[in-house]
Amino acid sequence: MKRLLVGGMVCLIGWGAIGSAIAQPPPGYAPIPPPRHEVVPPPPPGGRVVWEPGHWHWDGVRYVWIGGHYVERRPGHWVPGHWVWAPRQGRWVWAPAHWQ
């Protein structure tokens, strides 16, 4: 039950960060570096792309910044990157942004 509650809180926090280009790590990870502000460049003409914000990525030793970039628009809706609990691994993992 506690994992479900924490997972729900992380999802809600993640949804609140949409558009900020900053993903928050789950509890228990090393302190996250200061937030990085990204200037979103104007999209190429045609409206066929969507901005995928950058995020901090834990590489097992330290956080590294993965910069934001445009991705091609596809059918469905855009799901921003977020932290999810992986029960088989017994830890939180980053679920990259994707179309669903």
Side-chain angles (χ1 to χ4, degrees), residues 24 30-31 46-47 49 64 71 81-82 87 98:
Q24 297 299 318
V49 295
V64 292
V71 294
H82 57 280
H98 59 279

Side-chain angles (χ1 to χ4, degrees), residues 40-88:
V40 179
R48 298 185 326 208
V49 295
V50 65
W51 180 255
E52 178 180 344
H55 63 276
W56 288 108
H57 170 74
W58 180 255
D59 70 1
V61 177
R62 65 184 184 284
Y63 286 103
V64 292
W65 181 255
I66 307 296
H69 59 278
Y70 281 103
V71 294
E72 187 175 337
R73 186 178 301 275
R74 299 192 179 160
H77 70 276
W78 179 248
V79 178
H82 57 280
W83 292 97
V84 294
W85 178 253
R88 291 185 181 185

Side-chain angles (χ1 to χ4, degrees), residues 85-93:
W85 178 253
R88 291 185 181 185
Q89 297 178 28
R91 64 185 178 98
W92 291 92
V93 296

